[in-house]
Amino acid sequence: MTVYSGPVFDMAVNQFGVIANHLSIPMDERDRLLLPKRAITVSCPIHRDDGTIAVYQGYRVQHHLTLGPTKGGTRFAPSVDIGEVAALAIWMSWKCALVGLPYGGAKGGISVDVAAISKRELEALSRRYMQEMIPFVGPHTDVMAPDMGTNEQVMAWFMDTYSMYQGRTVTEIVTGKPVASGGTLGRREATGRGVAYLAKRVMLELALPLSGGTAVVQGFGNVGSYAALELHSYGLKVIAVSDHTGALFDANGLDIPALMKHTAKHGSIKGFSTQLAFDPAEILTLRCDVLAPCAMERVIDAAVAERLQCRVLAEGANGPTTPDADLVLDNRRDEVFLIPDILCNSGGVVVSYFEWVQDLQQLFWEEEEVMRREYKILDRAFEAMSARAKADNISHRTAAMAIGVEKVRAAKATRGLFP
Ligand code: GLU
């Protein structure tokens, strides 16, 4: 038992156990690799619009400091607790190491239902959270980014709050900012584009035609919407999407650009069409070429894994597949090609890294440059994962995580244990 124990953290522990066994990591080395270096809990009081005061619990977990600053998103959701944040921080570490970024993993968040507070309250909460975090973050200590429930605007408030305390503009304190305030071109689209790019690569390797191919996307936030748009632009029919308000299905393919316009205006897919309404619980098991879960963790359990009818499982969300489901997918390797989360959604943090580099240098790139470099890194990591999976006869997830864990382990080994 640790303070982090809970269903999501236990999943990260379980996954790490599989990797540690595969790599024969001695028992006395495991806690050093797995347990977070720092965990911060803060109380964030704000004035509500009705004049009362409300206090929200905020968290930030910094997993390891071995390779550079820590890096990771900030989640505003009712589910957020220290265990979920710690698991997400650990996954960020393996993700950053896999794709070769000079970062440890971090994650943060506030337990809050953003749909239940006003825009002014959201701004007050975002600013107070960053203010409480100032002693623990910095451009060379810990760099935040968006995650579920946060967006470019929240990042701009974070950056402004930090900068006001420093007495100068410090754009490099967070990534995922609006381009107007030091963000990079291509960050908004980066995660979804990366998911679609890798799914396309796998389809081509499996000799599946893109044109007329089918895709299902769970989640229509920043990741899911851009993944769907990109798959649509490759010629696939996106036959189903869902978000927290429901699901839509059209065997002829949904009009994704129109749906994106709708969600930009109304905040969700609700109200787009009553004719196309579908049961959200059923979309994961639809027959399709590409299934992209881009919402929550732990949506694919063993029972769902048995019933999957996709050819490619492109994990846009963090941790969508449980360890039990992994055992099922291990036996279905020839039927379902898994692109594991730490690779599949890594385009987001890769372009966050580009944003941080551009902010530090005050030298900004064209969008083509951002995309070219993003895809190059994704290709390299994909090839490393594939080669490792083949060589060791292991699943793609085990291969991807083994590469990430090995890199962190090697850095710790060469630096030694202080003092
Ligand atoms: N929240 C995203 C993730 O889970 C992005 C993190 C970042 O850009 O630092 O990968």
mmCIF file of all heavy atoms in Angstrom, residues 71-74 92 95 107 143-147 175 187 318 345 348-349 352, ligand 1:
data_model
loop_
_atom_site.group_PDB
_atom_site.id
_atom_site.type_symbol
_atom_site.label_atom_id
_atom_site.label_comp_id
_atom_site.label_asym_id
_atom_site.label_seq_id
_atom_site.Cartn_x
_atom_site.Cartn_y
_atom_site.Cartn_z
ATOM 1 N N LYS A 71 7.581 16.645 -17.088
ATOM 2 C CA LYS A 71 6.693 17.164 -18.126
ATOM 3 C C LYS A 71 5.398 16.381 -18.105
ATOM 4 O O LYS A 71 5.399 15.157 -18.018
ATOM 5 C CB LYS A 71 7.377 16.970 -19.495
ATOM 6 C CG LYS A 71 6.618 17.555 -20.657
ATOM 7 C CD LYS A 71 6.937 19.021 -20.847
ATOM 8 C CE LYS A 71 5.945 19.714 -21.770
ATOM 9 N NZ LYS A 71 4.637 20.001 -21.116
ATOM 10 N N GLY A 72 4.302 17.104 -18.231
ATOM 11 C CA GLY A 72 3.032 16.399 -18.340
ATOM 12 C C GLY A 72 1.836 17.311 -18.158
ATOM 13 O O GLY A 72 1.963 18.464 -17.739
ATOM 14 N N GLY A 73 0.682 16.773 -18.456
ATOM 15 C CA GLY A 73 -0.543 17.557 -18.524
ATOM 16 C C GLY A 73 -1.168 17.858 -17.180
ATOM 17 O O GLY A 73 -0.703 17.422 -16.124
ATOM 18 N N THR A 74 -2.239 18.619 -17.242
ATOM 19 C CA THR A 74 -3.011 19.010 -16.066
ATOM 20 C C THR A 74 -4.463 18.668 -16.349
ATOM 21 O O THR A 74 -5.031 19.155 -17.334
ATOM 22 C CB THR A 74 -2.883 20.529 -15.824
ATOM 23 O OG1 THR A 74 -1.534 20.913 -16.027
ATOM 24 C CG2 THR A 74 -3.338 20.890 -14.426
ATOM 25 N N MET A 92 3.768 9.042 -18.287
ATOM 26 C CA MET A 92 4.487 10.119 -19.010
ATOM 27 C C MET A 92 5.991 9.827 -19.052
ATOM 28 O O MET A 92 6.649 10.131 -20.042
ATOM 29 C CB MET A 92 4.257 11.480 -18.336
ATOM 30 C CG MET A 92 2.928 12.155 -18.592
ATOM 31 S SD MET A 92 2.471 12.428 -20.318
ATOM 32 C CE MET A 92 3.806 13.421 -20.935
ATOM 33 N N LYS A 95 6.673 7.245 -21.651
ATOM 34 C CA LYS A 95 6.375 7.854 -22.959
ATOM 35 C C LYS A 95 7.521 8.777 -23.403
ATOM 36 O O LYS A 95 8.027 8.660 -24.520
ATOM 37 C CB LYS A 95 5.072 8.656 -22.831
ATOM 38 C CG LYS A 95 4.536 9.226 -24.130
ATOM 39 C CD LYS A 95 3.332 10.177 -23.922
ATOM 40 C CE LYS A 95 2.253 9.666 -23.018
ATOM 41 N NZ LYS A 95 1.040 10.516 -23.016
ATOM 42 N N LYS A 107 2.350 14.718 -13.869
ATOM 43 C CA LYS A 107 0.943 14.977 -14.183
ATOM 44 C C LYS A 107 0.365 15.746 -13.023
ATOM 45 O O LYS A 107 0.860 15.666 -11.898
ATOM 46 C CB LYS A 107 0.178 13.656 -14.347
ATOM 47 C CG LYS A 107 -1.078 13.791 -15.148
ATOM 48 C CD LYS A 107 -0.740 14.017 -16.609
ATOM 49 C CE LYS A 107 -1.698 13.398 -17.569
ATOM 50 N NZ LYS A 107 -1.062 13.101 -18.852
ATOM 51 N N VAL A 143 7.287 21.275 -16.279
ATOM 52 C CA VAL A 143 6.593 22.056 -17.317
ATOM 53 C C VAL A 143 5.210 21.438 -17.563
ATOM 54 O O VAL A 143 5.102 20.308 -18.035
ATOM 55 C CB VAL A 143 7.427 22.092 -18.616
ATOM 56 C CG1 VAL A 143 6.731 22.925 -19.687
ATOM 57 C CG2 VAL A 143 8.834 22.628 -18.343
ATOM 58 N N MET A 144 4.179 22.197 -17.254
ATOM 59 C CA MET A 144 2.800 21.690 -17.396
ATOM 60 C C MET A 144 2.307 21.790 -18.831
ATOM 61 O O MET A 144 2.882 22.500 -19.654
ATOM 62 C CB MET A 144 1.859 22.497 -16.498
ATOM 63 C CG MET A 144 2.111 22.338 -15.030
ATOM 64 S SD MET A 144 0.875 23.308 -14.128
ATOM 65 C CE MET A 144 1.467 23.114 -12.458
ATOM 66 N N ALA A 145 1.187 21.127 -19.093
ATOM 67 C CA ALA A 145 0.542 21.128 -20.418
ATOM 68 C C ALA A 145 -0.935 20.820 -20.218
ATOM 69 O O ALA A 145 -1.353 20.521 -19.105
ATOM 70 C CB ALA A 145 1.201 20.072 -21.305
ATOM 71 N N PRO A 146 -1.729 20.858 -21.276
ATOM 72 C CA PRO A 146 -3.144 20.495 -21.130
ATOM 73 C C PRO A 146 -3.349 18.985 -21.028
ATOM 74 O O PRO A 146 -2.494 18.201 -21.436
ATOM 75 C CB PRO A 146 -3.802 21.001 -22.430
ATOM 76 C CG PRO A 146 -2.745 21.713 -23.191
ATOM 77 C CD PRO A 146 -1.421 21.298 -22.648
ATOM 78 N N ASP A 147 -4.481 18.604 -20.501
ATOM 79 C CA ASP A 147 -4.956 17.216 -20.495
ATOM 80 C C ASP A 147 -6.484 17.326 -20.446
ATOM 81 O O ASP A 147 -7.045 18.396 -20.729
ATOM 82 C CB ASP A 147 -4.381 16.460 -19.272
ATOM 83 C CG ASP A 147 -4.492 14.940 -19.412
ATOM 84 O OD1 ASP A 147 -3.643 14.334 -20.091
ATOM 85 O OD2 ASP A 147 -5.438 14.356 -18.866
ATOM 86 N N THR A 175 3.343 24.367 -21.808
ATOM 87 C CA THR A 175 3.158 24.167 -23.249
ATOM 88 C C THR A 175 1.673 23.947 -23.537
ATOM 89 O O THR A 175 0.881 23.764 -22.617
ATOM 90 C CB THR A 175 3.978 22.972 -23.767
ATOM 91 O OG1 THR A 175 3.544 21.789 -23.090
ATOM 92 C CG2 THR A 175 5.463 23.183 -23.538
ATOM 93 N N ARG A 187 0.546 22.356 -32.229
ATOM 94 C CA ARG A 187 0.385 21.664 -30.940
ATOM 95 C C ARG A 187 -1.053 21.213 -30.733
ATOM 96 O O ARG A 187 -1.308 20.113 -30.248
ATOM 97 C CB ARG A 187 0.817 22.549 -29.766
ATOM 98 C CG ARG A 187 0.548 21.923 -28.377
ATOM 99 C CD ARG A 187 1.340 20.651 -28.168
ATOM 100 N NE ARG A 187 1.070 19.930 -26.926
ATOM 101 C CZ ARG A 187 0.097 19.037 -26.753
ATOM 102 N NH1 ARG A 187 -0.738 18.754 -27.745
ATOM 103 N NH2 ARG A 187 -0.044 18.414 -25.609
ATOM 104 N N ASN A 318 -4.711 7.863 -22.426
ATOM 105 C CA ASN A 318 -3.714 7.226 -21.575
ATOM 106 C C ASN A 318 -4.381 6.087 -20.812
ATOM 107 O O ASN A 318 -5.433 6.285 -20.191
ATOM 108 C CB ASN A 318 -3.152 8.238 -20.576
ATOM 109 C CG ASN A 318 -2.278 9.279 -21.260
ATOM 110 O OD1 ASN A 318 -1.373 8.942 -22.015
ATOM 111 N ND2 ASN A 318 -2.556 10.556 -21.011
ATOM 112 N N ASN A 345 -0.156 8.152 -28.463
ATOM 113 C CA ASN A 345 -0.554 9.538 -28.178
ATOM 114 C C ASN A 345 0.633 10.441 -27.880
ATOM 115 O O ASN A 345 0.466 11.572 -27.418
ATOM 116 C CB ASN A 345 -1.607 9.589 -27.058
ATOM 117 C CG ASN A 345 -1.047 9.193 -25.700
ATOM 118 O OD1 ASN A 345 0.110 9.445 -25.393
ATOM 119 N ND2 ASN A 345 -1.881 8.588 -24.861
ATOM 120 N N GLY A 348 1.573 14.458 -28.827
ATOM 121 C CA GLY A 348 1.251 15.636 -28.010
ATOM 122 C C GLY A 348 2.458 16.145 -27.244
ATOM 123 O O GLY A 348 2.839 17.309 -27.345
ATOM 124 N N VAL A 349 3.087 15.251 -26.512
ATOM 125 C CA VAL A 349 4.225 15.709 -25.710
ATOM 126 C C VAL A 349 5.441 15.984 -26.598
ATOM 127 O O VAL A 349 6.271 16.839 -26.272
ATOM 128 C CB VAL A 349 4.540 14.734 -24.545
ATOM 129 C CG1 VAL A 349 5.160 13.438 -25.019
ATOM 130 C CG2 VAL A 349 5.434 15.417 -23.529
ATOM 131 N N SER A 352 4.843 19.379 -27.608
ATOM 132 C CA SER A 352 5.059 20.215 -26.418
ATOM 133 C C SER A 352 6.557 20.491 -26.234
ATOM 134 O O SER A 352 6.964 21.598 -25.884
ATOM 135 C CB SER A 352 4.535 19.514 -25.160
ATOM 136 O OG SER A 352 3.163 19.751 -24.982
HETATM 137 N N1 GLU B 1 -1.434 15.441 -21.447
HETATM 138 C C1 GLU B 1 -0.732 14.981 -22.591
HETATM 139 C C2 GLU B 1 -0.257 13.558 -22.412
HETATM 140 O O1 GLU B 1 -0.825 12.836 -21.639
HETATM 141 C C3 GLU B 1 0.341 15.955 -23.047
HETATM 142 C C4 GLU B 1 1.455 16.197 -22.079
HETATM 143 C C5 GLU B 1 2.387 17.295 -22.544
HETATM 144 O O2 GLU B 1 2.239 17.797 -23.642
HETATM 145 O O3 GLU B 1 3.289 17.629 -21.751
HETATM 146 O O4 GLU B 1 0.635 13.092 -23.059
#
